[in-house]
Amino acid sequence: MAGHGARGRSGGRPTLEEVAARAGVGRGTVSRVINGSPRVSDTTRAAVEAAVAELGYVPNTAARALAANRTDAIALVVPEPETRFFAEPYFSDMLRGVGAELSETEMQLLLIFAGSDRERQRLAQYLAAHRVDGVLLVSVHADDPLPDLLSQLEIPAVISGPRSEAETLPSVDSDNYGGGRSAVEHLLSRGRTLIAHITGRLDVYGAQRRVDGYRDALRDAGHEVRESLVEQGDFTEEGGRRAMTELLARHPDLDAVFAGSDVMAAGARQVLREVGRRIPEDVALVGYDDSAIARHMDPPLTSVRQPIEEMGRRMLDLLLTEIADRRPAVSRGLERRRVVLATELEVRASS
Amino acid sequence: MAGHGARGRSGGRPTLEEVAARAGVGRGTVSRVINGSPRVSDTTRAAVEAAVAELGYVPNTAARALAANRTDAIALVVPEPETRFFAEPYFSDMLRGVGAELSETEMQLLLIFAGSDRERQRLAQYLAAHRVDGVLLVSVHADDPLPDLLSQLEIPAVISGPRSEAETLPSVDSDNYGGGRSAVEHLLSRGRTLIAHITGRLDVYGAQRRVDGYRDALRDAGHEVRESLVEQGDFTEEGGRRAMTELLARHPDLDAVFAGSDVMAAGARQVLREVGRRIPEDVALVGYDDSAIARHMDPPLTSVRQPIEEMGRRMLDLLLTEIADRRPAVSRGLERRRVVLATELEVRASS
DNA sequence: AGGTACTGTGGGAGCGCTCCCACAAGTGAT
DNA sequence: ATCACTTGTGGGAGCGCTCCCACAGTACCT
């Protein structure tokens, strides 16, 4: 900036006070205009808005946060190491949904990873300092202490993927049960008869529900449900390999595999190929998540798609509502605070 | 609000003042202890620390930010739609590096996407409000106005991938030139003679440098450099397909392709397969980034790996330094503010 | 003894907002 | 004319911290 000269004692960014002086009104009035209060006359409002524009006034967030005791920020907390967060497109899609919805507001999104103990420590500090107005929790395991910490600190939170059927936090989830069912029903309709399942980590509620869907689909179709056809994985490629190896050892004659995630399906595919099984001729393969991996696999992988972006959007909705009625909150029923969205099966060459 | 009445002035979180009273010292002394000033006696320090622990005191960030005029937060700004950000592991690895380095400090990381105009608008507001102490810029195109905005607002910033050789911002980059060279030298050493190149967007400096490496490697090996062997892509799969189609039309006899990214290599692979070319027998393929796609491709893709996590770490280092010497800053030479890290070729079955 | 320099400490003065009370002015009933 | 609202407005009192000045105490010179 050329020659600032007098400029009062400031030199920095304009303050509310300066805008008020410029517009010839009081501080309170400017504040009202900035915050969209209706109790301002049209003439005054116009004058203030002009002054704001002329001065290029931007509210000081820190001062506002201090005075109003809110931060206008929410955190997306991911209790996993960064690696896994990005390995699965799940999170990025969700982030997109949240971001889209968030851009309608003045709120800011923080991304916080809490994989290591060190990071969790920092997170606890962070939350204790009330640096966010609310928290979006993603991919939380059944025994995670985080939700309790949150409610203890009275910080509004929404969880994606309830920890159990008894989840107390508002939650958004996809229909894992229905997703599991649809995968199996699809394989049955293709004439497969010996269908194995590689599960995700069973301390993830959604993974359990997929198993339930698998079982019920078989049962409802009049098939016997054999536990030896179910092998636990852990959402990793290596876990998928291990589980597939086990399953083949127990059932060399299996003709289909439903994996609880695309990444595990990729591991399974490797093993199947190593032992000379063709996909889909010998063994049909179905994954879950419909990630980039599914599309790039050879052959392309049939997979269950979740409306993850939509889930992100709904989570944010729920959270903003929580924040808005930040009061005893004992009243409202839980019905509306629990959203479940339908999945869709993307059929490709692997099945 | 239900009858607030007396309000006792406590009820909430403890303040500096309360800690001071508890420890029997003044406010200033507590502040000094909290901020690690050396000018406090050991006895006093211990007393204050005890009081802090007993009360569970956590500093109020908003108050601190207001008084000290800093935010203890930095932003990672990604001027791309979220989609691309996650499609390439580039960003997630970088994020990991930044995160690792950041956990050594008290700073907070914000992730900000500025793909759409709307988002850029919001970002400008955000920066104008000085809500962060510094900015990490990732993947910026040559004509992006963001860096100028940043320097105009006098916000410290570090860029990954300088916009040109004349980059004014401190920067961290991998050796794109060397990476391009190594890919081509590798293909030459495998006996390939007609090597094509699918470039990235040429308004990305790094993509240009890869082309330079490609050209120089051929030239130094005594090969003629034919411009018809270079086709521009745009880092997308579709772009890779298009470029590959062009190249095959011009040079049906080419025996190797160096793609400027794994994603483009994936697109190229599809086209090669469609026209019946075998990889690597007929055409050798090399990508760039060494992403998950490269490992899962069929056949697995040879690719140039950048030390991205390390880059993230170095960027943060640089930024923290910038923030620390937040003064005229005209003095320091530019040498140390420019970091270039070596790449490595990961050889797989595609070449 | 007086000076000069530290070290350690207390507390006033803000930082830029929001909240809320006070109050002027207008409106309409009595 | 009085009273009772309503609408719009100004500005004091903080929010919880950092910064910095003042000052007591101690140490080491002259």
Side-chain angles (χ1 to χ4, degrees):
Chain A
M1 315 283 153
H4 49 15
R7 174 56 129 130
R9 70 177 145 310
S10 66
R13 302 153 49 197
T15 71
L16 244 205
E17 193 90 48
E18 285 164 27
V19 174
R22 175 81 168 224
V25 301
R27 225 173 51 253
T29 302
V30 177
S31 177
R32 258 165 245 132
V33 172
I34 299 291
N35 294 291
S37 158
R39 342 197 98 262
V40 181
S41 72
D42 289 348
T43 6
T44 310
R45 182 186 308 280
V48 171
E49 278 166 354
V52 165
E54 284 164 29
L55 261 35
Y57 171 74
V58 178
N60 179 317
T61 339
R64 175 178 287 180
L66 178 59
N69 195 34
R70 62 191 162 83
T71 64
D72 289 331
I74 63 164
L76 177 63
V77 171
V78 187
E80 313 262 359
E82 284 88 340
T83 319
R84 223 177 84 70
F85 179 82
F86 294 105
E88 297 183 43
Y90 183 90
F91 300 105
S92 60
D93 285 350
M94 170 152 299
L95 196 51
R96 182 135 33 94
V98 172
E101 197 73 9
L102 199 71
S103 69
E104 308 292 307
T105 74
E106 291 289 283
M107 292 236 165
Q108 184 57 33
L109 179 69
L110 315 200
L111 199 56
I112 302 185
F113 297 102
S116 67
D117 278 350
R118 204 182 179 337
E119 286 172 333
R120 293 191 83 93
Q121 203 71 30
R122 253 169 68 90
L123 174 59
Q125 275 284 312
Y126 197 80
L127 295 175
H130 284 265
R131 292 186 64 169
V132 288
D133 292 340
V135 171
L136 255 23
L137 280 173
V138 163
S139 176
V140 173
H141 296 168
D143 55 352
D144 200 303
L146 210 46
D148 296 331
L149 176 62
L150 251 10
S151 59
Q152 188 185 313
L153 290 169
E154 295 180 22
I155 297 175
V158 173
I159 197 168
S160 98
R163 288 165 294 166
S164 72
E165 54 274 39
E167 182 60 65
T168 50
L169 253 33
S171 67
V172 175
D173 202 2
S174 71
D175 181 7
N176 288 293
Y177 174 80
R181 275 196 82 105
S182 70
V184 174
E185 284 164 359
H186 162 73
L187 288 168
L188 289 169
S189 79
R190 288 286 208 259
R192 306 291 168 161
T193 54
L194 202 58
I195 304 174
H197 178 35
I198 300 177
T199 76
R201 295 183 48 160
L202 291 182
D203 56 348
V204 175
Y205 180 60
Q208 286 177 34
R209 294 298 290 154
R210 290 174 198 174
V211 180
D212 293 344
Y214 162 84
R215 288 214 181 90
D216 288 3
L218 286 180
R219 183 170 301 132
D220 292 358
H223 285 67
E224 179 193 1
V225 179
R226 301 161 66 175
E227 287 310 316
S228 58
L229 277 170
V230 177
E231 180 66 26
Q232 190 174 344
D234 56 1
F235 287 124
T236 69
E237 193 165 333
E238 179 49 33
R241 293 181 57 88
R242 217 212 54 250
M244 192 67 247
T245 308
E246 289 292 327
L247 288 168
L248 277 175
R250 290 205 293 263
H251 295 278
D253 53 334
L254 58 79
D255 61 4
V257 176
F258 163 42
S261 80
D262 288 348
V263 176
M264 293 195 294
R269 192 213 64 159
Q270 289 169 19
V271 172
L272 288 170
R273 184 161 291 198
E274 283 163 18
V275 301
R277 298 290 214 289
R278 290 167 305 164
I279 300 172
E281 293 83 351
D282 303 325
V283 177
L285 189 59
V286 174
Y288 210 107
D289 292 340
D290 192 31
S291 60
I293 290 174
R295 284 190 299 282
H296 285 104
M297 199 179 288
D298 178 47
L301 181 70
T302 294
S303 190
V304 179
R305 179 170 57 236
Q306 313 181 65
I308 307 186
E309 191 170 332
E310 169 75 8
M311 288 171 65
R313 237 178 282 131
R314 301 294 285 274
M315 281 184 75
L316 187 63
D317 274 353
L318 240 45
L319 184 61
L320 293 181
T321 311
E322 275 317 286
I323 292 173
D325 11 281
R326 186 200 294 252
R327 37 197 124 153
V330 192
S331 53
R332 249 170 308 101
L334 297 188
E335 319 79 48
R336 294 203 42 207
R337 304 177 33 186
R338 219 155 167 167
V339 175
V340 176
L341 302 169
T343 62
E344 202 171 331
L345 186 70
E346 187 70 29
V347 179
R348 297 204 181 82
S350 73
S351 66
Chain B
M1 314 283 160
H4 49 16
R7 198 336 183 173
R9 99 173 132 299
S10 65
R13 300 155 49 197
T15 70
L16 244 205
E17 194 89 49
E18 285 163 27
V19 174
R22 175 82 168 221
V25 300
R27 224 172 53 253
T29 302
V30 177
S31 178
R32 260 165 243 132
V33 172
I34 299 291
N35 293 292
S37 158
R39 342 196 99 260
V40 181
S41 71
D42 289 347
T43 6
T44 310
R45 182 185 308 279
V48 171
E49 279 166 352
V52 166
E54 284 164 29
L55 262 34
Y57 171 75
V58 178
N60 179 317
T61 339
R64 175 179 287 180
L66 178 58
N69 197 32
R70 64 193 161 82
T71 65
D72 290 330
I74 63 165
L76 176 64
V77 172
V78 187
E80 312 263 359
E82 286 86 340
T83 319
R84 224 177 82 70
F85 178 82
F86 294 105
E88 297 183 42
Y90 184 88
F91 300 106
S92 60
D93 285 349
M94 169 152 301
L95 196 52
R96 182 135 32 95
V98 172
E101 197 74 8
L102 199 70
S103 69
E104 308 292 308
T105 74
E106 291 289 281
M107 292 236 164
Q108 184 56 33
L109 179 68
L110 316 199
L111 197 57
I112 303 184
F113 298 101
S116 67
D117 277 350
R118 199 177 182 341
E119 287 173 332
R120 293 190 82 92
Q121 203 70 30
R122 252 168 68 88
L123 174 58
Q125 276 283 314
Y126 198 79
L127 295 175
H130 284 265
R131 291 187 66 169
V132 287
D133 292 338
V135 171
L136 255 21
L137 281 171
V138 163
S139 174
V140 173
H141 296 168
D143 54 351
D144 199 302
L146 210 46
D148 295 331
L149 175 61
L150 251 9
S151 59
Q152 188 185 312
L153 290 169
E154 297 180 21
I155 297 175
V158 173
I159 197 168
S160 99
R163 289 165 294 168
S164 72
E165 54 273 43
E167 182 59 65
T168 49
L169 253 33
S171 67
V172 174
D173 203 3
S174 71
D175 181 9
N176 287 292
Y177 174 79
R181 276 196 81 105
S182 69
V184 174
E185 284 164 358
H186 162 73
L187 289 167
L188 289 169
S189 78
R190 287 286 209 261
R192 307 290 168 161
T193 53
L194 203 58
I195 304 174
H197 178 36
I198 301 175
T199 76
R201 295 184 48 162
L202 291 182
D203 55 349
V204 175
Y205 179 61
Q208 286 177 35
R209 294 298 290 154
R210 291 174 197 175
V211 181
D212 293 344
Y214 162 85
R215 289 215 180 88
D216 288 4
L218 286 180
R219 183 172 300 129
D220 291 358
H223 286 67
E224 178 191 3
V225 178
R226 302 162 66 176
E227 287 311 315
S228 58
L229 278 170
V230 177
E231 180 66 25
Q232 190 174 342
D234 55 1
F235 287 122
T236 69
E237 192 166 331
E238 180 49 33
R241 292 181 57 90
R242 218 211 54 252
M244 190 69 247
T245 308
E246 289 292 327
L247 288 168
L248 277 175
R250 291 204 294 262
H251 296 278
D253 53 336
L254 57 80
D255 62 4
V257 177
F258 163 42
S261 79
D262 288 346
V263 176
M264 293 193 295
R269 193 213 64 158
Q270 289 168 20
V271 172
L272 287 170
R273 182 161 292 199
E274 283 162 19
V275 302
R277 297 291 215 287
R278 289 167 304 163
I279 299 172
E281 293 82 354
D282 302 327
V283 178
L285 189 58
V286 174
Y288 209 106
D289 291 339
D290 191 30
S291 60
I293 291 175
R295 283 191 299 282
H296 285 104
M297 199 179 287
D298 179 47
L301 180 70
T302 294
S303 189
V304 178
R305 181 173 53 236
Q306 312 181 66
I308 306 184
E309 194 173 330
E310 169 76 9
M311 288 171 66
R313 237 177 282 131
R314 301 294 287 272
M315 282 184 75
L316 187 63
D317 274 352
L318 240 47
L319 184 60
L320 293 182
T321 311
E322 277 312 290
I323 292 172
D325 11 280
R326 186 200 292 252
R327 35 197 126 156
V330 193
S331 52
R332 248 169 310 99
L334 296 189
E335 319 80 45
R336 294 203 41 206
R337 304 176 34 182
R338 224 161 163 161
V339 175
V340 176
L341 302 169
T343 61
E344 200 171 331
L345 186 71
E346 187 70 29
V347 179
R348 297 203 183 82
S350 73
S351 68

